[in-house]
Amino acid sequence: MDAMEEIKQVFFQECEEQLFELEAGLLTIERGDFDPETINAVFRAVHSIKGGAGAFNLTDLVHFAHVFENTMDLVRVGKLEPSPGLIKLMLRAADILADLVRAARDDDTSDPGPREAMAAELKTWTPGAIPPPQAAAPPPVAVAPKEASRNNDDGFVFVPTKVDLNDFEDLSLAPTTHFRVIFRPKAELYAKGNETTILFRELGRLGPMHVACDISELPPLEDMLPEGAYLSWTVHLETSEEEDKIKAIFDFVEWDSTLEIEVTDGMRADDAKEEPFVFKPTMVDLSLLETIVPDPIDGAEASVIEPLASAAKPPQAAPAPAKAEKPSGDDHAPAEKKDAAAATIRVDLERVDRLIDLVGELVINQAMLTERVAELGLARMSAVSIGLDELEQLTREIQDSVMAIRAQPVKSVFQRMPRLVREVALQTGKNVRLVTEGEGTEVDKTVIERLSDPLTHMIRNAIDHGLEKPDVRRAAGKPEEGLLKVAALHRSGRIVIEISDDGAGINRSRVRSIAVEKGLIAADAKLSDEDIDNLIFLPGFSTAAVVSDISGRGVGMDVVKRSIQALGGRISILSRPGLGSTFTMSLPLTLAVLDGMVVSVAGQTLVIPLTAVVEILLPQATTVHNFGGNARVMGVRSEFIPLIDVGQVLQFRQEDIDPKSGVALLVEAEGGVRNALLVDAIQGQRQVVIKSLETNYGHVPGIAAATILGDGRVALILDVDAIVVDSRNDIASSLPLAG
Amino acid sequence: MEMHAKPETTKPRELISFIIGKQEFCVDIMSVREIRGWSPATPLPHSPAFVRGVINLRGAVLSIVDLASRLGLPTSEPSARHVIIVAQVGSQIAGLLVDAVTGILTVTAETVRPTPDVASEMARSFVKGVLAIDNRMITLITLDHVLPSQEQEAA
């Protein structure tokens, strides 16, 4: 049972890959590249999913994939032109297929509505390809009403009866069709251990049949390769089943054989007069046999080599007949690509994480060792110091390489975007062309996982609010099709993701009036263009005049900004009216390390995430004021900002310290709230390895995580948001006392 | 050969014994991962008094529980002579600060006497029984409730 589950998981993993191939292929075709290899790749992707799904009895998936495959097959054989309309339809079908795969994986039951509608739509492209039963069956139903009306005249009440059309098949009332199946196995079929007899037995279950073996290809014995395939069969089958049922039997050997199925009017006369199998003696030159059997008398090595050499020949010759057998229409061969994907292995993520932990240790240990050696006061050029330098270099290299294992290209997130864009474009009635750049840009897996949601939201926003409707665009002299560009790149040790559109840009006067209306800013506030643009990140801001179900769900850009900040990232906007907007996200490459400001508070060392720190201020006697009970505020450029003593919030000390003796860090917390954190001193800025406190202890209020410093001691990483909220509650609870 | 014939219930188990103040305690050796010297801990804000803080154990952040304080005994400031017993507590690992480790005891189930009927909180949550060995009384404790529970933390 478990083994089955495991295989199933592998199947779903492969499905994801196939779905990606499918979509990538369709997009290539959409761009006007009708390379038969691409079309084949697309066909194979759907076919593989269908095949696998069949093995796991995922009937919904099989049925849909089957209809999809039928339509695609017509394109493949050139009976159907891959028009833009058809490709668009196929892209949507690919989305539905992806949904089905996911539903099957999560054991969900998906809504059959869109699937059935799509299947119906796909079928309209395959006229006549869906033969007898369904097409032929309707007449009896259509007849019924006529009878009913006639009977009604006689005062007889007709009671309609539901007729299950499937019953007709069982009753074999459906007309039978004569098929001629020509089956030519290739050597590979036998090499894979398939047995033709079983196939014919299966075929025999569909109806009466007549099998004739064609031995005309059989070479004389001396030319015959022991592993060659020389026989082919012609089967006349009379069945009420569809052609697909016949094909299904050959599903697993399809790539290793050629199969022709055609409908005939019945058995042809000449075929019927099939000659009885007559054994034709073949002349065999006995001397040839002697060369094959090593001469037992002459045991000398030289003579052994010779037969071996001649025995070695056939394999070389073997590919030739196989090639010759391939008829023109053979697209099935699973593309013997020599340029297979780079060799990869799948590794349990836990193992990689363990390795990363260990290397983190190594780095700390090495730093400690360096410190200890420095304490000894050895000469810089001593053998120990030189050895340590080398060790340091090696550990850094190991750390980089290990981090690279976890790094993945952003492709996995980007490849979901085309579908999203299609769906949103369809819902909003806009024409959108998506361009992605830098898909190969690598970033830590955890970052990728948490990037998906904000990116999705921003793309929805860009299409819904950024791009204009086609008629508006035309009026503005722009092409009807809006351009949405998503690009990823590395910049100074961070990953930068840019989402740009060529839409209308941010409507600043409207943003401003909404912000005033919602009480987010004062009516007479003086704001630069940039300030106004940034208003959209404020909580509770939503510019859409009509709340659409796409991006106006009340969660807005503030949520996006929060999730980016939670990743230690920042987001900015550049908007030009009439030309479009660009959102730029900058994120750390990994969540395993963090850039922090190391500070001292009441004798303890703390780390404050650098992303939260806006500015460093030196408190003066004139800028710090008492406010209410024990609260203090600090004047920063005509603004009063709450001053939070970190030592007190964390209960490291009870008494107030003189603000002048410390340093204040201006930090930005949730919702853009600014606060000043009072610490004793700043030690410096450092990249630290993040360690969880939850693993061996539990959550500590005000603390996000821990890290290990160069001296081997644990330092706590401050949770700025929690500290700010905490202090606010403290002040709130102290106010009644003060009053 | 005779030892093998003994019934399962008397299978000997090994305990690690240690001293806190003037009392002797022991825990099952299976839960002990290692024993190391005291190193200064980083205090954790908003934590109970018996949590001394956290230390770095080869990269893992380990919380240090002052067992004396946890068991309601008089505490003293830890010095380099103090010992940390690194032990498995449920799915987590914790360091237990004790005065000294005295040794390993091999006992059978019969050696463990029931807990005397003392109405102390410590007896109820931690004590599993007592052992009398060479005129010493050694208290067998369980580590299940050594770390602060989530409810206590929230309070």
Side-chain angles (χ1 to χ4, degrees):
Chain A
M1 193 61 199
D2 273 344
M4 195 61 178
E5 263 317 292
E6 216 169 278
I7 297 168
K8 216 167 170 178
Q9 285 318 309
V10 172
F11 162 66
F12 285 126
Q13 268 174 21
E14 282 169 1
C15 269
E16 288 294 326
E17 284 158 23
Q18 301 284 7
L19 286 168
F20 175 62
E21 286 284 315
L22 170 63
E23 184 166 37
L26 284 173
L27 288 172
T28 312
I29 299 170
E30 195 182 26
R31 280 198 293 273
D33 178 1
F34 302 128
D35 180 17
E37 192 38 57
T38 314
I39 296 171
N40 277 327
V42 165
F43 179 79
R44 268 200 304 275
V46 179
H47 187 81
S48 310
I49 292 173
K50 184 184 115 181
F56 293 108
N57 249 336
L58 305 167
T59 40
D60 286 352
L61 193 51
V62 174
H63 286 159
F64 185 77
H66 181 72
V67 176
F68 195 2
E69 187 187 11
N70 275 345
T71 312
M72 220 172 252
D73 195 34
L74 292 182
V75 178
R76 193 169 64 113
V77 298
K79 283 189 193 157
L80 203 57
E81 186 68 22
S83 63
L86 177 61
I87 296 301
K88 277 221 157 59
L89 179 73
M90 284 192 170
L91 277 165
R92 281 199 288 127
D95 295 344
I96 291 172
L97 190 66
D99 285 344
L100 278 169
V101 168
R102 266 151 225 158
R105 182 187 58 199
D106 305 336
D107 272 337
D108 271 354
T109 40
S110 60
D111 174 21
R115 175 171 85 232
E116 279 162 10
M118 176 56 69
E121 216 173 323
L122 281 172
K123 276 182 189 167
T124 60
W125 289 85
T126 53
I130 312 296
Q134 279 118 338
V141 179
V143 168
K146 267 188 216 157
E147 282 175 356
S149 62
R150 202 183 49 211
N151 289 341
N152 251 349
D153 295 341
D154 302 334
F156 180 77
V157 182
F158 174 74
V159 183
T161 315
K162 256 195 162 176
V163 179
D164 189 351
L165 289 180
N166 291 329
D167 291 348
F168 284 116
E169 284 182 33
D170 292 340
L171 294 168
S172 66
L173 284 176
T176 60
T177 320
H178 291 272
F179 288 102
R180 182 168 58 180
V181 181
I182 301 172
F183 175 54
R184 291 193 195 88
K186 293 182 205 161
E188 290 92 331
L189 183 139
Y190 299 110
K192 287 175 187 166
N194 287 302
E195 172 63 75
T196 47
T197 328
I198 296 170
L199 298 171
F200 292 127
R201 201 179 295 151
E202 281 294 314
L203 211 52
R205 288 193 188 150
L206 297 180
M209 68 165 183
H210 181 269
V211 184
C213 180
D214 179 2
I215 54 164
S216 58
E217 303 268 321
L218 205 62
L221 189 54
E222 64 262 33
D223 295 339
M224 201 195 284
L225 298 173
E227 286 173 352
Y230 304 103
L231 303 177
S232 58
W233 286 269
T234 305
V235 183
H236 288 278
L237 177 69
E238 189 186 340
T239 176
S240 57
E241 298 290 350
E242 289 176 48
E243 186 177 331
D244 304 323
K245 281 272 163 76
I246 302 172
K247 268 194 184 156
I249 290 171
F250 294 95
D251 239 4
F252 287 107
V253 296
E254 200 176 335
W255 313 116
D256 302 320
S257 65
T258 53
L259 185 67
E260 287 169 34
I261 302 174
E262 55 183 85
V263 181
T264 57
D265 323 325
M267 210 174 276
R268 272 198 217 153
D270 51 333
D271 283 329
K273 262 190 277 152
E274 170 244 346
E275 67 240 54
F277 182 78
V278 182
F279 180 76
K280 287 181 199 152
T282 316
M283 290 282 276
V284 177
D285 186 351
L286 275 179
S287 63
L288 273 167
L289 277 175
E290 272 165 22
T291 61
I292 293 169
V293 183
D295 192 346
I297 302 161
D298 191 352
E301 276 197 43
S303 70
V304 178
I305 286 164
E306 208 203 337
L308 273 181
S310 63
K313 263 179 202 160
Q316 284 174 348
K323 279 258 162 63
E325 265 182 271
K326 270 189 209 167
S328 55
D330 182 25
D331 305 317
H332 291 295
E336 300 127 74
K337 278 185 195 157
K338 288 279 160 358
D339 56 329
T344 56
I345 52 163
R346 284 177 206 231
V347 182
D348 197 352
L349 201 57
E350 266 178 34
R351 291 192 192 184
V352 176
D353 287 349
R354 170 90 188 117
L355 188 61
I356 287 174
D357 270 1
L358 284 174
V359 172
E361 275 341 284
L362 187 65
V363 171
I364 292 162
N365 228 295
Q366 176 267 323
M368 282 164 64
L369 197 58
T370 310
E371 256 175 56
R372 296 289 134 78
V373 170
E375 280 166 17
L376 292 176
L378 291 174
R380 276 196 64 81
M381 292 317 282
S382 68
V384 175
S385 299
I386 292 170
L388 262 181
D389 281 351
E390 278 169 13
L391 179 68
E392 185 178 344
Q393 228 161 3
L394 280 174
T395 31
R396 284 204 190 286
E397 260 178 58
I398 293 175
Q399 193 181 26
D400 288 349
S401 322
V402 167
M403 288 301 192
I405 296 179
R406 265 193 75 103
Q408 283 193 328
V410 287
K411 193 170 157 187
S412 57
V413 177
F414 277 22
Q415 72 191 34
R416 287 181 228 163
M417 297 311 156
R419 165 171 193 183
L420 176 74
V421 169
R422 277 199 299 281
E423 284 177 352
V424 179
L426 201 70
Q427 284 172 41
T428 54
K430 291 171 182 175
N431 285 341
V432 187
R433 187 157 62 93
L434 175 73
V435 177
T436 53
E437 270 177 24
E439 293 182 325
T441 314
E442 288 190 334
V443 65
D444 191 88
K445 193 172 156 39
T446 27
V447 177
I448 288 191
E449 281 160 4
R450 293 168 63 180
L451 195 62
S452 175
D453 281 352
L455 199 58
T456 304
H457 206 89
M458 285 167 78
I459 287 180
R460 282 175 185 279
N461 258 317
I463 299 172
D464 200 19
H465 303 314
L467 294 173
E468 314 92 324
K469 290 222 177 322
D471 49 332
V472 180
R473 288 184 68 90
R474 213 181 313 125
K478 293 198 233 181
E480 280 186 26
E481 195 177 50
L483 181 72
L484 183 67
K485 197 171 116 180
V486 183
L489 59 141
H490 279 151
R491 190 186 288 158
S492 55
R494 291 171 80 82
I495 184 170
V496 175
I497 293 177
E498 286 180 353
I499 297 145
S500 42
D501 62 70
D502 67 345
I506 290 175
N507 186 339
R508 296 200 174 109
S509 62
R510 237 185 81 218
V511 167
R512 196 194 163 99
S513 65
I514 289 171
V516 172
E517 190 186 303
K518 299 205 169 167
L520 299 170
I521 52 163
D524 56 350
K526 279 205 176 89
L527 298 171
S528 66
D529 284 353
E530 199 190 331
D531 288 339
I532 296 173
D533 291 348
N534 279 300
L535 288 176
I536 66 166
F537 289 122
L538 289 180
F541 188 93
S542 183
T543 51
V546 187
V547 173
S548 63
D549 65 336
I550 296 154
S551 35
R553 284 203 196 89
V555 290
M557 292 303 285
D558 61 314
V559 178
V560 171
K561 190 175 185 181
R562 286 314 306 160
S563 43
I564 300 287
Q565 279 182 341
L567 284 170
R570 289 190 172 279
I571 183 166
S572 61
I573 322 171
L574 178 75
S575 184
R576 283 169 302 169
L579 295 173
S581 316
T582 300
F583 288 83
T584 308
M585 297 193 274
S586 148
L587 295 158
L589 291 178
T590 169
L591 296 183
V593 295
L594 167 140
D595 281 311
M597 188 162 286
V598 185
V599 300
S600 340
V601 175
Q604 298 298 326
T605 302
L606 290 173
V607 178
I608 299 175
L610 210 56
T611 46
V613 180
V614 180
E615 201 176 336
I616 296 169
L617 306 161
L618 286 175
Q620 309 289 321
T622 50
T623 53
V624 178
H625 311 274
N626 283 326
F627 187 77
N630 52 5
R632 282 183 291 191
V633 294
M634 188 176 170
V636 182
R637 287 183 292 276
S638 80
E639 227 186 309
F640 289 104
I641 286 166
L643 183 67
I644 300 165
D645 182 351
V646 177
Q648 274 190 332
V649 172
L650 296 182
Q651 299 172 350
F652 284 161
R653 63 172 162 234
Q654 300 305 320
E655 72 288 352
D656 285 354
I657 59 157
D658 180 6
K660 289 195 294 297
S661 68
V663 181
L665 303 176
L666 189 63
V667 293
E668 198 178 79
E670 199 166 336
V673 184
R674 289 186 168 202
N675 281 267
L677 301 183
L678 184 63
V679 299
D680 296 2
I682 292 175
Q683 292 181 11
Q685 203 174 304
R686 197 173 303 165
Q687 197 172 60
V688 296
V689 178
I690 299 171
K691 299 277 175 187
S692 159
L693 270 175
E694 274 87 351
T695 319
N696 283 323
Y697 186 68
H699 177 70
V700 179
I703 301 299
T707 187
I708 292 160
L709 296 177
D711 61 2
R713 290 198 56 178
V714 177
L716 302 175
I717 301 172
L718 219 57
D719 182 345
V720 173
D721 282 350
I723 292 281
V724 168
V725 171
D726 227 33
S727 72
R728 222 182 283 155
N729 293 343
D730 283 357
I731 291 165
S733 58
S734 71
L735 278 179
L737 291 172
Chain B
M1 296 303 122
E2 278 170 350
M3 274 182 49
H4 283 244
K6 283 184 181 177
E8 273 290 302
T9 47
T10 57
K11 206 175 114 191
R13 61 193 282 210
E14 287 188 307
L15 307 167
I16 283 208
S17 63
F18 50 88
I19 295 173
I20 301 172
K22 284 174 182 144
Q23 295 190 40
E24 208 168 353
F25 296 88
C26 61
V27 292
D28 196 308
I29 203 166
M30 296 313 286
S31 61
V32 176
R33 301 275 291 259
E34 65 180 279
I35 293 164
R36 64 198 316 270
W38 160 259
S39 56
T42 303
L44 284 177
H46 305 286
S47 61
F50 61 82
V51 177
R52 282 272 169 187
V54 283
I55 61 160
N56 162 27
L57 179 76
R58 290 183 303 280
V61 176
L62 192 73
S63 59
I64 301 298
V65 172
D66 186 341
L67 215 49
S69 167
R70 188 68 176 126
L71 298 175
L73 306 170
T75 59
S76 55
E77 219 24 60
S79 69
R81 280 188 315 220
H82 280 76
V83 172
I84 289 169
I85 299 174
V86 180
Q88 186 81 39
V89 180
S91 62
Q92 299 185 315
I93 296 170
L96 310 172
L97 178 67
V98 300
D99 288 355
V101 170
T102 47
I104 297 171
L105 308 167
T106 308
V107 297
T108 52
E110 297 92 76
T111 327
V112 182
R113 305 266 163 250
T115 313
D117 196 8
V118 186
S120 79
E121 203 250 335
M122 165 190 128
R124 281 200 308 274
S125 338
F126 299 106
V127 180
K128 277 281 168 191
V130 291
L131 293 92
I133 293 170
D134 308 335
N135 294 328
R136 294 185 290 166
M137 188 196 77
I138 304 172
T139 311
L140 175 64
I141 56 170
T142 166
L143 300 176
D144 297 348
H145 308 292
V146 128
L147 285 173
S149 65
Q150 290 298 320
E151 308 92 78
Q152 271 178 308
E153 218 174 289

